[in-house]
Amino acid sequence: MFSIPLKPFAQRYKKSIFDKNLSMQTIVNQDFSSRRVIVRVDFNVPIDDQLQVTDSTRIRAAKETIDYILKKGGSCVLLSHLGRPMGKDPKLTLSHIVSKVQEVLEVPVTFFGDCVGQQAEAATASLTPGSVILMENLRYYKEETAGDIEFAKGLSKLGDCYVNDAFGTAHRAHASTTIMAQFFKDHKYFGRLLEKEVNAIEKVMKSGDKPVLAILGGAKVSSKITIIENMLDKIDHLIIGGGMVYTFVKAQGGKVGRSICEDDYCDYALTLLDKAKAKGVQVHLPSDVIIGDDFSNEANKKSCKVDEIPDDWEGLDAGPETLKSFQKVVMQSKTILWNGPLGVFELENFAKGTIALGEFISDSTQAGAFSLVGGGDSVAAVKQFGFEEKMSYISTGGGAMLESLEGKTLPGIAALQE
Ligand code: AMP
């Protein structure tokens, strides 16, 4: 099969959609009556040893789009991947999730054991309005991740129009997430989830009320460089937390003991502080931290100044003085982005800072600020500590969210706008 080379595609979109005013053709007010709508969803859900879905967030996130299409007289052909199968691995068949999909959607869902080819086309050809069919795991075919154009063309034969609602894979130029859009020139649409994700990011990156605050935590500076650089043009305040802090502290001559620290990035940390200053961004680093004598929940702990950590101790959470000053900044902000925890929140004894930050952002949101939480661990923390309903928006896409914050164009989104 002929494959589209991925690089030239990405190069065609040098600018982020968040830097341009591109239109979004959404499903809202489209006429789907008697149309078979291919919906690329992200049903890549966790499954336990008993083959039960342990977290159905992603299925629930697609419900609004599917409901809408059905209500408008269409039928849905659901396409998704599950895991990273090497060939047709029976452990990763989407048949395992059919009953959960049915339970969440509250409509009957049929399953078809393939996603492409004549038999798959025959299975979708006879769909009647209001029906839903879930096709087999796209990644059973290596052509999916290769972005193979013939495979994409085969998928496109399953319906009359195309809706992408899989934000979690929008950063991949795969056959079903990107390449296939070209076969639906005037009939390709943003699903409700994709639309909400793009709007939330755009609000932070472009149109949010000031002051705009970014809170970047997590383990390492090295993994957040592009995000920090990109955000500096868009924000008024930057809170730096988590393990990243110690690279900055050491760069400024402080003692960080055994804290996580990337010596290779000390110079970069200083450059970044200079850049922030030049751009008028106020950077807030912790003044005190909670340190432990071991990386474990049983460690002895105490608070100390951030730059006076004894040799055998390590910084594992934000301290009380720091939290007070962070609270002020959060409460003053009108637009807030949170990515990365303030400490090792997985250890109960060092979760206090992350929980407190969740409370501050909840309070600020309650007072009218817009808050967006995105990227892996902060989303996990928000869910774990019960702040899910208190944030304005929680992104469903880890990698896609991070790439958006880095200012990259997501191929899945660009393909809908061509
Ligand atoms: P990231 O994926 O970069 O957002 O990092 C998230 C991880 O950073 C979580 O697993 C936290 O436990 C970890 N983390 C946060 N603060 C610290 C710290 N002070 N020392 C070591 N790891 C930390």
Side-chain angles (χ1 to χ4, degrees):
M1 283 190 188
F2 167 71
S3 293
I4 282 193
L6 302 185
K7 213 168 166 201
F9 183 91
Q11 280 171 354
R12 267 191 279 158
Y13 302 99
K14 291 229 170 71
K15 286 196 101 185
S16 157
I17 64 154
F18 306 112
D19 295 330
K20 296 195 247 173
N21 286 317
L22 291 178
S23 66
M24 241 202 271
Q25 193 175 19
T26 72
I27 58 170
V28 178
N29 294 329
Q30 301 296 337
D31 179 13
F32 291 115
S33 62
S34 298
R35 298 201 146 245
R36 292 169 306 138
V37 186
I38 300 172
V39 189
R40 178 39 163 118
V41 288
D42 180 5
F43 285 174
N44 184 27
V45 290
I47 293 177
D48 66 15
D49 293 343
Q50 273 74 51
L51 304 177
Q52 296 302 308
V53 174
T54 54
D55 181 353
S56 59
T57 306
R58 287 177 167 163
I59 302 174
R60 282 185 275 118
K63 181 172 163 56
E64 192 181 339
T65 293
I66 297 164
D67 282 353
Y68 191 88
I69 293 166
L70 298 181
K71 201 179 79 197
K72 290 278 180 172
S75 55
C76 290
V77 179
L78 305 180
L79 294 180
S80 180
H81 73 284
L82 179 64
R84 295 180 173 180
M86 301 294 280
K88 297 191 175 177
D89 179 351
K91 279 196 214 117
L92 293 172
T93 166
L94 279 167
S95 63
H96 297 325
I97 74 164
V98 184
S99 57
K100 182 52 85 177
V101 174
Q102 203 156 249
E103 180 191 316
V104 172
L105 297 183
E106 298 170 295
V107 292
V109 175
T110 43
F111 174 74
F112 189 78
D114 205 346
C115 63
V116 74
Q118 276 177 5
Q119 287 180 358
E121 287 166 35
T124 61
S126 53
L127 286 179
T128 50
S131 51
V132 179
I133 187 167
L134 174 66
M135 309 303 283
E136 183 56 285
N137 194 345
L138 289 158
R139 290 198 188 165
Y140 274 4
Y141 291 88
K142 63 181 184 336
E143 289 85 352
E144 162 65 359
T145 49
D148 187 288
I149 194 163
E150 289 302 330
F151 181 70
K153 193 174 179 184
L155 295 176
S156 75
K157 292 181 182 163
L158 300 176
D160 315 307
C161 42
Y162 170 69
V163 170
N164 189 349
D165 213 22
F167 181 70
T169 46
H171 58 315
R172 307 280 185 217
H174 293 172
S176 69
T177 62
T178 301
I179 309 303
M180 149 182 206
Q182 65 193 271
F183 297 104
F184 296 94
K185 283 233 165 327
D186 301 317
H187 302 291
K188 51 186 178 184
Y189 310 100
F190 283 75
R192 296 294 282 160
L193 175 66
L194 199 64
E195 181 191 347
K196 278 187 225 161
E197 295 274 359
V198 169
N199 283 340
I201 297 166
E202 179 156 300
K203 206 154 185 185
V204 170
M205 306 292 268
K206 215 167 119 185
S207 60
D209 291 339
K210 283 176 159 290
V212 180
L213 161 69
I215 304 162
L216 297 178
K220 293 179 170 180
V221 183
S222 54
S223 63
K224 307 268 160 124
I225 287 178
T226 332
I227 296 180
I228 302 176
E229 293 262 359
N230 189 46
M231 295 305 293
L232 284 183
D233 287 323
K234 329 214 180 265
I235 57 177
D236 305 294
H237 293 271
L238 171 64
I239 285 181
I240 295 177
M244 290 207 288
V245 164
Y246 306 100
T247 303
F248 286 86
V249 172
K250 189 163 182 186
Q252 291 173 311
K255 283 178 61 189
V256 300
R258 276 199 283 118
S259 307
I260 187 170
C261 180
E262 293 174 284
D263 291 340
D264 294 352
Y265 285 87
C266 282
D267 287 346
Y268 169 75
L270 293 179
T271 312
L272 195 90
L273 294 176
D274 287 343
K275 275 191 190 169
K277 202 170 174 192
K279 289 177 191 270
V281 176
Q282 282 188 49
V283 178
H284 308 269
L285 278 155
S287 53
D288 63 343
V289 284
I290 305 296
I291 55 174
D293 59 0
D294 186 23
F295 192 90
S296 80
N297 204 39
E298 287 68 46
N300 292 306
K301 61 174 195 167
K302 58 184 178 183
S303 64
C304 81
K305 287 212 156 71
V306 71
D307 54 357
E308 292 178 7
I309 301 176
D311 286 347
D312 286 335
W313 292 69
E314 59 192 299
L316 296 173
D317 198 7
E321 201 180 89
T322 298
L323 290 176
K324 254 191 212 154
S325 75
F326 284 3
Q327 183 176 23
K328 253 193 214 153
V329 184
V330 173
M331 290 311 292
Q332 282 166 6
S333 300
K334 292 276 176 279
T335 304
I336 302 165
L337 165 77
W338 180 18
N339 168 263
L342 282 195
V344 186
F345 74 98
E346 298 93 333
L347 305 177
E348 201 185 337
N349 286 335
F350 299 99
K352 218 172 171 179
T354 302
I355 296 173
L357 180 63
E359 275 161 9
F360 304 155
I361 301 175
S362 301
D363 292 346
S364 191
T365 308
Q366 176 99 31
F370 175 81
S371 54
L372 167 62
V373 185
D377 279 318
S378 26
V379 174
V382 160
K383 287 184 177 174
Q384 186 179 328
F385 302 124
F387 297 116
E388 223 171 339
E389 303 301 321
K390 297 179 177 168
M391 307 287 154
S392 308
Y393 194 76
I394 299 174
S395 177
T396 58
M401 170 76 184
L402 295 181
E403 290 200 14
S404 304
L405 298 178
E406 287 173 354
K408 290 184 189 153
T409 295
L410 308 187
I413 289 171
L416 290 177
Q417 295 180 307
E418 272 205 312

